[in-house]
Amino acid sequence: MPETVLYLSRSEIDALQLDPVIARHRVTAAFKAHATDRSASRPKLSLDIGPGHAFQSLCAASAEIGMAATKWLGMARSPDGGGANIDALMALNDFASGRLLAILDGNGLTGLRTAAMSAAAAASLARPDSAVIGFVGCGLQARAHLHAMKALLPGLSRVLAFGKGRASTERFATYARGNGFAVETIADASDVVRASDILVTSVPMRSGFRPFLDAAWLPEGSFVSAVDIARSWIPESLDKLDLLATDDHRQQAEHPPIFGTLGALGSFHADLSELSAASGPLRSRPDQRAMFIFRGFALADLAVAAYAFQAAVAQQKGMILPR
């Protein structure tokens, strides 16, 4: 038979109805293996052109998963001067033979993978009785995180939403109500921060952007997933947090620090491998305030892409292309 490759479009991946619980378990297992060097991954390579304009490559391999993956993405400001447009594609290879197995749209998978990483961190750092989830930024990441956090913390019932774009905020609010949440759209971001047990910030980079959130506003016992690499947070205020975690110590150390010395080896209390392997510090008091700041790590992309590929094969989804 001639060699072929499976192609999965965004709509075909959506049709798989991938389970956020399984995605979280897959990501947790991958990082737990990484803690004992049973996988290989390089820090993200980024060609930074300007604010909100970059091209990035991420690569990882795992004998346990039996696959390797690379993600390529481009990010540029939208023509109207708003947030960044992000477009991603993933390639998945067999670990043993090196054969290309699949090409997958990376946009929806990035949302699923990022939310799975946040939920994996929240499993160690969030209060189990959390009831209110807030969003500063109401795009793709907000939807993905809503499902991932609800699956982890079933007591979540109330959504607070703040976004710069009125239309996108209202769309997200309608979506959350349709999924059974009581929803409030909030005019002041500080009010969302002050009232949230779980907070997700996913604010895109814009020209002239300045941080506008203060960690001092966070209530006791709250957990933050800073999907935006904490760009929306006033840097000096992060000193007020009790627990800081990142996706990977080495990757963070090879990038510019978040601020000052925050980013150098040893400046975070734990990374996701340590949390997944239960070797990092866990929440020891109910009043501790914790934040997960991450840049995106290729191992999580591999874990979620492998899950999507296996689901597609089982459901006979996707297009078979000749090589």
Side-chain angles (χ1 to χ4, degrees), residues 36 40 52 70 83 85 88 110 112 115-116 122 151 212 236 275 291 303 311-312:
T36 53
T70 187
N85 292 321
T110 295
L112 180 66
F212 60 99
E236 295 78 11
L275 293 177
M291 182 179 286

Coordinates of all heavy atoms in Angstrom, one line a residue, residues 36 40 52 70 83 85 88 110 112 115-116 122 151 212 236 275 291 303 311-312:
T36 N 10.7 11.9 35.4 CA 11.7 10.9 35.6 C 12.4 10.7 34.2 O 12.9 9.6 34.0 CB 11.1 9.6 36.1 OG1 10.0 9.2 35.2 CG2 10.6 9.7 37.5
A40 N 11.3 13.4 26.0 CA 12.2 14.4 25.5 C 11.4 15.6 25.0 O 10.5 15.4 24.2 CB 13.1 13.8 24.4
G52 N 3.2 41.1 20.0 CA 2.1 40.3 19.4 C 2.4 39.7 18.1 O 1.5 39.3 17.4
T70 N 5.4 17.9 16.6 CA 5.9 19.3 16.5 C 4.7 20.2 16.2 O 3.8 19.8 15.5 CB 7.0 19.5 15.5 OG1 7.6 20.8 15.6 CG2 6.5 19.2 14.1
G83 N -6.4 42.4 19.1 CA -5.5 41.3 19.6 C -4.8 40.5 18.5 O -5.0 40.8 17.3
N85 N -3.8 37.5 16.0 CA -4.3 36.3 15.3 C -3.3 35.2 15.5 O -2.1 35.4 15.3 CB -4.6 36.6 13.8 CG -5.7 37.5 13.6 OD1 -6.7 37.5 14.3 ND2 -5.5 38.4 12.6
A88 N -2.1 27.7 14.1 CA -1.2 26.7 14.4 C -1.5 25.4 13.6 O -2.7 25.1 13.3 CB -1.2 26.4 15.9
T110 N -4.9 23.5 20.6 CA -4.1 24.4 21.5 C -5.0 24.8 22.7 O -4.6 24.9 23.9 CB -3.6 25.6 20.8 OG1 -2.6 25.2 19.8 CG2 -2.9 26.6 21.8
L112 N -7.6 23.1 23.9 CA -7.8 22.0 24.8 C -6.6 21.7 25.6 O -6.7 21.4 26.8 CB -8.2 20.8 23.9 CG -8.4 19.4 24.6 CD1 -9.7 19.5 25.5 CD2 -8.5 18.3 23.6
A115 N -6.0 24.4 28.4 CA -6.9 24.2 29.5 C -6.6 22.9 30.3 O -6.7 22.9 31.5 CB -8.3 24.1 29.0
A116 N -6.1 21.9 29.6 CA -5.7 20.6 30.3 C -4.5 20.9 31.3 O -4.5 20.4 32.4 CB -5.4 19.5 29.3
A122 N -4.3 23.1 38.6 CA -5.3 23.4 39.6 C -5.6 22.2 40.5 O -6.0 22.3 41.6 CB -6.6 23.8 38.9
A151 N -15.0 20.2 35.0 CA -14.8 18.8 35.1 C -13.9 18.4 36.3 O -14.1 17.4 36.9 CB -14.1 18.3 33.8
F212 N -2.6 45.6 34.0 CA -3.6 46.4 34.7 C -4.3 45.6 35.9 O -5.2 46.1 36.5 CB -4.7 46.8 33.7 CG -5.4 45.6 33.0 CD1 -6.6 45.1 33.4 CD2 -4.8 45.0 31.9 CE1 -7.2 44.1 32.8 CE2 -5.4 44.0 31.3 CZ -6.6 43.5 31.7
E236 N 5.3 43.7 39.8 CA 5.7 43.8 41.2 C 4.7 43.2 42.2 O 5.0 42.7 43.3 CB 5.9 45.2 41.6 CG 7.1 45.9 40.8 CD 6.8 46.3 39.4 OE1 5.6 46.3 39.0 OE2 7.7 46.6 38.7
L275 N 4.5 18.9 40.0 CA 3.1 18.9 40.5 C 2.5 17.5 40.1 O 1.8 16.9 40.9 CB 2.3 20.0 40.0 CG 2.7 21.4 40.5 CD1 1.8 22.5 39.8 CD2 2.5 21.5 42.0
M291 N -0.7 30.9 41.6 CA -0.8 31.2 40.2 C 0.1 30.3 39.4 O 1.2 29.9 39.8 CB -0.3 32.7 40.0 CG -0.4 33.1 38.5 SD 0.1 34.8 38.2 CE -1.3 35.7 38.9
A303 N 0.8 15.1 24.0 CA -0.2 14.3 24.7 C -1.6 14.5 24.2 O -2.3 13.5 23.9 CB -0.2 14.7 26.2
A311 N -8.4 8.9 18.9 CA -9.8 9.0 18.8 C -10.3 9.1 17.4 O -11.3 8.5 17.0 CB -10.3 10.3 19.5
A312 N -9.6 9.8 16.5 CA -9.9 9.8 15.1 C -9.8 8.5 14.4 O -10.7 8.1 13.6 CB -9.0 10.8 14.4

